[in-house]
Amino acid sequence: MHLQILGEVSVVTGAGTTRVTSARHQLVLARLVLADGRVVPADALVDALWDDPPPTARQQLYNAVAQLRRALADASDALVRRGPGYALSLHGHRVDLHDFRSAVATARAGGRGAERHLRDGLALWRGRPLEGVPDHLAEPIRRPLEQEQTDARELLCRLTLESGNPEDALAQAGELVGACPFQESAHELRLRALAATGRRTQALQEYLAFRNRLVDELGVDPGAALQALHADLLDGTTGDVGRSTSLVPVPQQLPPATAALVGRDKLIAGIADRIDEAAGSPAAATPLVLFTGPGGVGKTSVAIAAARRVGSGFADGVLFAELRAGSGRPTDPYDVHGRFLRALGHAVEDVPDDRDERLASYRSALADRSVLVVLDDAGTEAQVRALLPPSPASAVIVTSRARLAGLEVTARVRVPTLEPDASEELLGLLSPHRSPALVRLAELCGHLPLALRVAGSRLAVDEHLSVDDLIARLTRERARLEELTAGDLDVRATIAISHEAVRPQVQHLFRCLGAVDYESWPDWVADLVVTNGASLGELVDVHLVEDLGLGAAGQRRFRMHDLVRDFARSLASEAPAPVAQAQWCVLLDTWHDRAEAAVGDLTGSAGPTSSDGLEASDWLETERANLCAAVDQAAAAGLPDLCGRLALTICEFFMTRGYDDDRERALRAALGSVGTGSHPELRSDLLRALFATLAQQGRLDELDEVAEANLATTSDLPASDRAVRAIFQSAWLAETTYALPRAARLYERAADLARSIGSAEGVASAQGNLGSVHLRAGDWDVALPLLVEGVQHERAGDRPRHLAIRLALLGECRLWLGDAHAARAHFDEARDITWTISDQVGEALCQIHLATVHLHLGELADAIRLLQPARAAAMEHTGFQGDLLAWETSVDLSIIQRRWDDAEREIAQVLDGMQGDPHRGIELARFAARSAVVQDALNRPREAATQRECCVRHLRALDLPARCLRLPPQMAGVAPSLD
């Protein structure tokens, strides 16, 4: 993602460029960008957006954030709600302001590329910052940013003047004076440029004119610097600055490029700039650039390309040596000294045999020279130090699989794998095939250049091998590394070199991580799977493990490249198993305990303890994949109790985020582990959670089997709250399918059972659920006291999500009883609760209910404003079924606003989505009633009559009154008669 605020605010993602057109949305995004990952309190954002915040300020801010998340597309998870406000994580993303500031900082550091860096940085400005945002809102941000731009332009003008280009500097200074007529530093640059171009008289005239303007308009004289320059102009002592360089013919030892190099231009250009700047500075140390990375990533190719880019700037040559650390027989620096001395003109007999004398001779030979030394595949710091030239006019480029942390370097660059587009381009260059499947092939190669070269070579050599054939081979279990070999190119062998370079204890840790097999993991995982003192740092040093730094949740995280992971898995599969059963128990128990603490923090059901002291939602999001894997691992390890408890814990979080696939997989895995014979209480809890998962997705046809299984499981247990809850689920299914008399009987049965075991909570829940039945039946007066009692009961407890559900039901009842203001208060409270516990599904549904309230009150603009982001969130988290309320409200808005074509189209979409669903009788009736209104408005009486008949048929089948159609007051009197 690339954020742009230096001009019109826009977001560039893989899906394209999205302009942020709303002034307030631009301002919110800019404030978050300038905070650089820190939390910006919601109160501060409200104060920035309004001088006098309206009552709906918080809601408007919420909507602005929701719109910005959509603009961020695939990077929407970068914008998070945290504590009292919001934060925008910029890790791994670009911001034009940051790029500009980096370019200016590089230029201020000096070096030969300073002017170019400044020009590149200034080119990022596409207009005024936050273009289009009114001045009274943007000025606190815009003014300091524009001053940064002016300072950079002045620096560029000064450097242009010093580099001997006074005419260019004069033009730049003129633009600066025009933009900042009272800025003395701009006038100083213009006067110096005039003098440097031989226009001293004009410079003196312009000084006097500027001085008179300062006195007349501001009542001040020029500052001391400008007055001193005026004195120099009078004396004729100003002048321009020139520089000259000379080149000496040099020998070149760089090897020829042996492989296509794509996707590295930016990396190479950046390193070339660093070398140019460092080599041109008066620093005492020799500039050294270290390229590190795993085997096969293309370090040598990148280093040679960078050396070719800068080689002509070193007057006395480019020297190259292969240090062969990966061969197991590293090159002795003594031998390299001899070769380099001979390359620099020493006769064979003049090269000393004594090791110390040869080193001294090498250093003496390079003491006054400007050379570029390229050292490929270095193994140790000592190997590199022995070959460093002593002159700061020289430079060194080193490649290594190890991080060589002991070296003092100018730049340490970890060469990354290729971007997907570059991977596909490389495959296209190496193979004769032009197929869309190359994208998938590049993914299977992990975008590793060596693997891509192997795949491309195999396709080029074997005319009978298609891209699809090779993909099929690479996707066979444990076959990928075996297939990625061609001639002397072998990915497995390349990875094995790094593996063999570490101690046996570290190799064991590597195997353990292969057995655990997480895509990425926090640092404490390694501490739990081994007890031999091996350190992750040693695997990081040789790039078998990548240190990702602090993740979004604030933990230090690590990962393996996909192909390295394959290698680790293959080693882990060899006997004996690297991770003992006891270690599995400790690891999985730790996942459960940390997840339980985080979910407790999130839902408010625990004390202040949290996982690693982190924001609970951030931790759970970050570890989501690992928690799912831990459930599977507990099942595989034969730990059913732990497997079930862990699944139940994480599914509480998955429910609030709408991660239904993960939720269902975890629960089914745990049910398979628990079985039907043992752990009946745990089995009941898992079945109840699975029922809720399927219900939230609207998969009603699958619920009866789960509910019956839960009733059968609890029937073998002593009477308890579990049995009450099992009956609740069967009753809920009857209620949802509008078998309302059966639902009422089941809730009464559950209440009787709850009384028999002394469960006041069970009785209260049953009564509240009976209120929901009456609400569905249109018996709102009967429902109201039951729903009020349900809210009061939940207020006395500690279940915030249940309280939010009860409040929403009560709000719905108040709304249809005609008290829209009371309904709004209930929905507002429910929404605040869901916000607090990060229940994004519940929050979206509350927003839709609030939009319906605004519609009833005739506040159509507010209804539309609330509905749009909430509808998108509901569709994202709950799919079509969870969006029916939003569809209903949207159709009502279209009808009330007489947008008949929109209403007709929306109704058709809804009916198409419900086609074939036997449980949607009431929804079909509701939309048929609305369709009749639309058909009447479009003067289609036959179609209107058909829709009324359809509506009446469904209502009679369900034995429901017309008021269950939930028509807003603006459509009063249009409900079809049931007589």
Side-chain angles (χ1 to χ4, degrees):
M1 177 179 67
H2 185 189
L3 297 176
Q4 299 175 322
I5 67 171
L6 301 180
E8 188 176 49
V9 177
S10 60
V11 180
V12 182
T13 66
T17 301
T18 301
R19 294 167 52 214
V20 181
T21 54
S22 164
R24 287 198 166 94
H25 295 180
Q26 291 189 49
L27 196 61
V28 170
L29 184 58
R31 289 273 180 181
L32 293 172
V33 166
L34 291 171
D36 199 18
R38 298 184 300 276
V39 173
V40 180
D43 289 342
L45 290 172
V46 168
D47 291 341
L49 294 173
W50 293 278
D51 294 331
D52 184 16
T56 60
R58 282 275 186 164
Q59 181 58 50
Q60 292 187 51
L61 174 61
Y62 172 88
N63 292 336
V65 171
Q67 294 280 359
L68 287 174
R69 283 200 179 105
R70 280 200 292 278
L72 298 180
D74 293 341
S76 60
D77 56 353
L79 178 49
V80 297
R81 183 166 48 209
R82 186 174 295 150
Y86 297 91
L88 182 62
S89 173
L90 300 174
H91 178 71
H93 303 296
R94 288 184 57 202
V95 179
D96 58 357
L97 175 61
H98 295 176
D99 291 346
F100 165 71
R101 286 174 171 170
S102 176
V104 172
T106 301
R108 290 190 189 282
R112 283 185 281 182
E115 283 185 59
R116 177 163 46 82
H117 282 297
L118 280 172
R119 293 184 194 278
D120 290 345
L122 288 166
L124 297 171
W125 288 71
R126 298 166 291 108
R128 301 187 73 195
L130 282 66
E131 191 74 61
V133 178
D135 285 342
H136 73 282
L137 291 175
E139 199 61 22
I141 293 176
R142 186 177 286 152
R143 188 187 309 113
L145 291 181
E146 288 182 333
Q147 186 58 54
E148 288 187 47
Q149 182 192 31
T150 299
D151 293 344
R153 291 174 64 190
E154 285 191 4
L155 177 58
L156 176 61
C157 181
R158 193 177 304 279
L159 292 175
T160 303
L161 185 61
E162 292 174 355
S163 66
N165 296 301
E167 291 290 351
D168 288 348
L170 182 60
Q172 295 171 24
E175 294 175 359
L176 281 167
V177 168
C180 309
F182 290 103
Q183 189 151 317
E184 292 192 20
S185 53
H187 283 275
E188 179 187 346
L189 286 169
R190 178 164 173 80
L191 298 182
R192 289 189 181 278
L194 285 169
T197 57
R199 303 169 189 169
R200 189 164 64 90
T201 301
Q202 183 180 345
L204 287 167
Q205 292 171 345
E206 291 199 8
Y207 171 81
L208 292 175
F210 178 57
R211 177 187 176 281
N212 291 337
R213 187 175 181 185
L214 285 176
V215 171
D216 292 344
E217 298 187 29
L218 303 180
V220 297
D221 284 318
L226 205 56
Q227 291 187 36
L229 175 59
H230 178 235
D232 290 341
L233 289 169
L234 290 172
D235 294 340
T237 57
T238 58
D240 56 353
V241 179
R243 291 190 303 191
S244 63
T245 59
S246 61
L247 296 175
V248 176
V250 296
Q252 298 292 333
Q253 291 192 334
L254 289 177
T258 57
L261 189 65
V262 298
R264 303 300 198 190
D265 292 345
K266 186 175 180 181
L267 174 63
I268 291 168
I271 291 303
D273 290 343
R274 294 290 299 274
I275 294 173
D276 279 342
E277 294 159 15
S281 71
T286 303
L288 191 158
V289 172
L290 173 62
F291 289 106
T292 67
V297 81
K299 301 180 293 295
T300 300
S301 297
V302 171
I304 291 173
R308 290 190 185 283
R309 186 81 165 262
V310 301
S312 61
F314 293 88
D316 298 302
V318 179
L319 303 173
F320 178 87
E322 295 180 352
L323 301 186
R324 304 181 186 279
S327 69
R329 297 184 301 277
T331 305
D332 190 333
Y334 173 85
D335 297 326
V336 179
H337 291 149
R339 292 202 299 270
F340 281 178
L341 285 170
R342 291 189 293 274
L344 292 168
H346 284 58
V348 174
E349 60 272 16
D350 293 334
V351 176
D353 292 330
D354 180 79
R355 180 176 293 272
D356 291 338
E357 289 181 7
R358 183 175 290 196
L359 173 59
S361 181
Y362 170 72
R363 289 174 174 167
S364 296
L366 296 184
D368 297 319
R369 299 189 190 228
S370 173
V371 297
L372 176 63
V373 178
V374 182
L375 305 174
D376 185 39
D377 195 18
T380 65
E381 292 90 342
Q383 204 179 20
V384 174
R385 289 193 189 104
L387 294 165
L388 294 179
S391 169
S394 297
V396 182
I397 296 176
V398 180
T399 73
S400 179
R401 293 170 183 249
R403 292 194 297 178
L404 303 183
L407 283 181
E408 294 182 9
V409 301
T410 306
R412 188 183 301 273
V413 181
R414 190 182 193 280
V415 179
T417 54
L418 292 176
E419 293 295 322
D421 288 348
S423 296
E424 187 179 356
E425 181 183 353
L426 179 56
L427 283 173
L429 290 172
L430 296 173
S431 77
H433 298 275
R434 298 294 178 268
S435 166
L438 289 177
V439 175
R440 176 57 179 154
L441 180 57
E443 291 174 356
L444 289 169
C445 291
H447 304 292
L448 186 75
L450 176 60
L452 293 164
R453 287 177 60 199
V454 170
S457 297
R458 292 194 57 180
L459 291 171
V461 170
D462 188 346
E463 60 184 19
H464 301 296
L465 181 66
S466 70
V467 176
D468 289 336
D469 290 339
L470 184 53
I471 288 174
R473 294 184 184 188
L474 293 176
T475 50
R476 289 202 304 267
E477 188 175 3
R478 304 190 185 281
R480 183 156 49 163
L481 291 178
E482 281 67 27
E483 293 290 341
L484 286 175
T485 177
D488 63 350
L489 302 177
D490 188 331
V491 173
R492 174 186 284 278
T494 299
I495 299 171
I497 289 171
S498 297
H499 176 257
E500 291 163 5
V502 298
R503 298 179 298 128
Q505 298 96 312
V506 181
Q507 292 179 4
H508 177 70
L509 170 59
F510 183 71
R511 289 182 63 214
C512 288
L513 294 172
V516 170
D517 196 26
Y518 299 143
E519 184 174 343
S520 72
W521 64 89
D523 49 9
W524 54 263
V525 168
D527 297 333
L528 295 182
V529 296
V530 297
T531 57
N532 61 11
S535 166
L536 264 178
E538 293 183 65
L539 292 173
V540 172
D541 283 342
V542 295
H543 297 281
L544 288 174
V545 167
E546 180 182 354
D547 185 343
L548 300 176
L550 295 179
Q555 297 179 105
R556 192 72 172 269
R557 298 194 68 77
F558 300 86
R559 69 178 293 273
M560 291 182 189
H561 182 273
D562 287 348
L563 298 177
V564 176
R565 238 173 115 191
D566 280 357
F567 182 74
R569 277 195 293 257
S570 70
L571 295 181
S573 65
E574 300 171 359
V579 182
Q581 182 78 355
Q583 291 168 290
W584 274 121
C585 290
V586 171
L587 175 63
L588 298 173
D589 263 328
T590 303
W591 277 121
H592 172 264
D593 293 346
R594 290 174 181 245
E596 188 173 52
V599 170
D601 282 355
L602 195 64
T603 60
S605 61
T609 306
S610 68
S611 290
D612 298 340
L614 307 168
E615 189 76 20
S617 59
D618 288 344
W619 187 87
L620 289 162
E621 284 285 1
T622 300
E623 304 298 356
R624 172 183 161 193
N626 290 343
L627 290 167
C628 290
V631 171
D632 293 334
Q633 289 166 345
L639 302 169
D641 180 68
L642 179 55
C643 180
R645 288 187 291 111
L646 180 56
L648 289 170
T649 297
I650 63 178
C651 283
E652 289 189 56
F653 170 69
F654 291 165
M655 175 178 59
T656 66
R657 287 295 193 271
Y659 296 148
D660 293 327
D661 289 344
D662 288 345
R663 188 176 164 198
E664 182 178 353
R665 276 196 301 270
L667 291 170
R668 290 196 185 278
L671 281 166
S673 176
V674 169
T676 58
S678 59
H679 306 283
E681 295 90 351
L682 183 57
R683 176 174 170 77
S684 173
D685 293 342
L686 290 166
L687 286 167
R688 183 161 57 93
L690 180 60
F691 182 98
T693 301
L694 299 175
Q696 195 163 344
Q697 298 176 66
R699 292 158 61 181
L700 303 182
D701 288 337
E702 302 174 50
L703 290 179
D704 192 53
E705 180 183 355
V706 178
E708 288 301 319
N710 198 6
L711 286 172
T713 300
T714 55
S715 67
D716 294 332
L717 295 170
S720 67
D721 281 330
R722 280 190 177 83
V724 174
R725 291 193 291 266
I727 298 171
F728 279 169
Q729 289 192 324
S730 292
W732 181 92
L733 179 57
E735 177 187 349
T736 303
T737 55
Y738 277 81
L740 299 181
R742 169 175 163 76
R745 288 194 301 272
L746 285 168
Y747 282 131
E748 288 165 358
R749 173 183 158 192
D752 291 342
L753 178 59
R755 289 189 191 94
S756 72
I757 62 174
S759 173
E761 181 176 309
V763 173
S765 295
Q767 293 295 101
N769 291 336
L770 275 172
S772 176
V773 171
H774 288 295
L775 177 65
R776 289 180 184 270
D779 300 328
W780 301 323
D781 290 321
V782 178
L784 182 63
L786 295 170
L787 294 174
V788 169
E789 183 182 345
V791 168
Q792 291 171 344
H793 172 74
E794 291 298 342
R795 287 195 192 283
D798 188 23
R799 301 191 303 175
R801 186 171 183 277
H802 287 77
L803 175 57
I805 292 171
R806 295 296 184 197
L807 283 166
L809 289 170
L810 179 57
E812 193 175 345
C813 187
R814 297 274 194 197
L815 181 65
W816 296 112
L817 282 169
D819 192 350
H821 293 286
R824 177 159 57 187
H826 293 319
F827 289 133
D828 274 334
E829 184 181 357
R831 183 193 57 192
D832 290 344
I833 291 170
T834 57
W835 188 92
T836 301
I837 64 175
S838 296
D839 181 356
Q840 296 174 352
V841 176
E843 187 177 0
L845 294 176
C846 288
Q847 291 286 90
I848 296 171
H849 279 300
L850 283 166
T852 307
V853 171
H854 283 296
L855 184 148
H856 279 236
L857 293 171
E859 300 164 352
L860 303 188
D862 288 332
I864 293 170
R865 175 179 50 77
L866 280 177
L867 183 62
Q868 290 173 344
R871 184 176 185 176
M875 180 66 88
E876 175 187 353
H877 291 301
T878 64
F880 175 81
Q881 304 295 353
D883 198 28
L884 280 174
L885 176 61
W887 278 106
E888 186 179 306
T889 306
S890 180
V891 169
D892 289 345
L893 279 167
S894 296
I895 291 174
I896 292 168
Q897 294 179 313
R898 299 181 180 275
R899 292 184 285 108
W900 309 115
D901 291 340
D902 289 345
E904 185 177 33
R905 185 182 64 255
E906 290 175 326
I907 290 169
Q909 288 178 268
V910 175
L911 295 177
D912 182 63
M914 290 191 292
Q915 191 170 4
D917 189 339
H919 305 295
R920 292 298 172 189
I922 185 60
E923 286 86 358
L924 289 168
R926 286 168 180 161
F927 284 100
R930 287 159 172 81
S931 180
V933 175
V934 174
Q935 298 305 320
D936 275 336
L938 295 173
N939 197 24
R940 298 171 185 165
R942 180 179 297 179
E943 289 84 348
T946 300
Q947 292 300 320
R948 286 192 183 92
E949 291 171 5
C950 176
C951 175
V952 169
R953 185 171 65 253
H954 285 298
L955 287 176
R956 285 176 174 166
L958 296 170
D959 193 23
L960 293 175
R963 60 179 174 273
C964 289
L965 296 175
R966 298 198 308 203
L967 296 171
Q970 294 91 331
M971 283 188 262
V974 301
S977 172
L978 298 182
D979 297 334

